[in-house]
Amino acid sequence: MESRAKAVKEILVGIVVGIASMLPGISGAVICVCFGIYERLVRDVARLRVYLRKDFWFILFLLIGILIGTLVSAKILSGAMDKYPTECQFLFAGLIAGQIPAVYHMTKPRESAWTRANWAALAIGFVIMGSMLIMYFTGGSDDVILGHDAAGMVVMFVVGIMVAISAMVPGISHSTILIVFGLFTLFTDTISNLDGAFLVSMAAGAVVGLLGFSKIVHYALEHHHRSTSFLIFGLTVGSLVTLIITSVGDAENITHILAGAVMFVIGLAVGIWFMRKSAEQEFSEEHE
């Protein structure tokens, strides 16, 4: 059993991941990267038979937090996002910004000079986030209405796969993708209303997507760690820039932007605090 402080931290991180995953333009995987659990989580999911027992409490506490965060976002935070979208998004932008040094540290900058492959991976990360920004501003389709028939179940299964893949790739927001295809309202309503049939189909797709795609990401981290880290760094910085641009673009007036700036500073302070606490915890574990 993990220490109480560690368990609380993992549940809190899970809550932030769950909330972030539901917000358009924000990636839950970026939050995992920022709080230093991304590689561990990918490894655990990719090799679940090996690490389920060893990392059981970590997986359990994180999953509990993600479920709480998702429900909070679907039921409660949606109201706050409707009233104060700029402020909420700036808060998450601050959280991400506070962790950027830790993400950069993943690239091991002092180890050797940047190679062409590293630069290419970094550029790909920015290009992907640029594409997400274009998708966001081009707007989505009209809301899709599905029945509880075979076609509806298949669509929700695919939605689950999309959610799982975006959960494994930092910077990719499944909420933004679902908005483009007109499925975001259906997705949030399914969770908020606890639609059993659609939830089962979506969960099945998520399991298939997680188990399959996590192996690809785990292989990339094991065999091409530095270039993969540069890709993740590019996606993370790109997501921060994208989030700030979309937040300013959605702001109704200067008052919301100023309030957003205050929330950014709060998020930044919390992000830096989390980063320092994580570093202290890692240091203490190494010297036990």
Side-chain angles (χ1 to χ4, degrees), residues 271-284:
I272 292 173
W273 181 81
F274 258 104
M275 183 179 66
R276 288 180 175 174
K277 285 296 180 182
S278 296
E280 289 173 6
Q281 187 175 327
E282 288 176 10
F283 181 82
S284 63

Side-chain angles (χ1 to χ4, degrees), residues 154-165:
V154 170
V155 171
M156 295 308 292
F157 182 83
V158 174
V159 167
I161 293 176
M162 291 167 57
V163 170
I165 291 177

Side-chain angles (χ1 to χ4, degrees), residues 15 40 50 83 106 110 128 137 201 223 236-237 241:
I15 291 173
R40 181 181 178 184
V50 177
K83 292 182 179 179
M106 287 176 60
R110 297 180 181 178
I128 291 173
F137 280 116
S201 296
H223 296 85
T236 304
V237 175
V241 174

Side-chain angles (χ1 to χ4, degrees), residues 6-288:
K6 203 170 181 181
V8 170
K9 177 200 166 186
E10 286 161 2
I11 291 174
L12 288 175
V13 171
I15 291 173
V16 176
V17 171
I19 292 173
S21 298
M22 294 291 289
L23 303 181
I26 307 177
S27 164
V30 164
I31 303 298
C32 290
V33 170
C34 289
F35 288 110
I37 63 169
Y38 178 72
E39 291 188 48
R40 181 181 178 184
L41 184 60
V42 168
R43 181 204 65 188
D44 288 356
V45 175
R47 303 179 65 187
L48 196 59
R49 290 182 181 179
V50 177
Y51 287 99
L52 180 58
R53 180 177 295 179
K54 180 180 178 181
D55 253 2
F56 176 77
W57 293 111
F58 165 73
I59 296 170
L60 178 64
F61 290 139
L62 190 68
L63 184 59
I64 289 172
I66 290 173
L67 290 174
I68 293 171
T70 301
L71 288 172
V72 166
S73 189
K75 285 187 171 290
I76 300 172
L77 199 66
S78 57
M81 280 296 295
D82 288 339
K83 292 182 179 179
Y84 311 106
T86 303
E87 291 83 347
C88 290
Q89 292 189 81
F90 265 109
L91 175 65
F92 275 89
L95 282 170
I96 294 171
Q99 303 287 327
I100 289 294
V103 182
Y104 178 65
H105 183 70
M106 287 176 60
T107 65
K108 300 179 180 178
R110 297 180 181 178
E111 200 168 87
S112 60
W114 292 18
T115 65
R116 290 182 179 178
N118 299 155
W119 280 107
L122 186 67
I124 290 170
F126 280 117
V127 169
I128 291 173
M129 290 316 303
S131 302
M132 295 293 292
L133 190 61
I134 292 170
M135 289 173 64
Y136 184 88
F137 280 116
T138 51
S141 308
D142 293 332
D143 288 341
V144 173
I145 300 175
L146 295 176
H148 289 74
D149 51 14
M153 298 304 166
V154 170
V155 171
M156 295 308 292
F157 182 83
V158 174
V159 167
I161 293 176
M162 291 167 57
V163 170
I165 291 177
S166 68
M168 290 285 106
V169 183
I172 305 300
S173 167
H174 67 260
S175 296
T176 300
I177 297 172
L178 292 176
I179 286 172
V180 171
F181 289 104
L183 293 166
F184 183 68
T185 300
L186 179 65
F187 172 71
T188 53
D189 286 349
T190 296
I191 296 173
S192 179
N193 299 329
L194 297 177
D195 188 320
F198 278 169
L199 280 173
V200 169
S201 296
M202 196 162 62
V207 170
V208 170
L210 276 174
L211 294 179
F213 199 73
S214 63
K215 294 184 184 297
I216 297 173
V217 178
H218 181 61
Y219 177 87
L221 285 168
E222 274 206 331
H223 296 85
H224 306 282
H225 187 275
R226 198 164 189 227
S227 290
T228 304
S229 296
F230 270 96
L231 174 63
I232 291 171
F233 181 62
L235 288 167
T236 304
V237 175
S239 70
L240 174 61
V241 174
T242 299
L243 189 53
I244 291 174
I245 291 173
T246 55
S247 300
V248 173
D250 291 342
E252 295 179 0
N253 51 54
I254 190 66
T255 303
H256 285 283
I257 294 177
L258 291 174
V262 173
M263 297 306 292
F264 180 87
V265 172
I266 293 172
L268 181 66
V270 173
I272 292 173
W273 181 81
F274 258 104
M275 183 179 66
R276 288 180 175 174
K277 285 296 180 182
S278 296
E280 289 173 6
Q281 187 175 327
E282 288 176 10
F283 181 82
S284 63
E285 287 176 356
E286 289 175 0
H287 292 78
E288 281 181 354

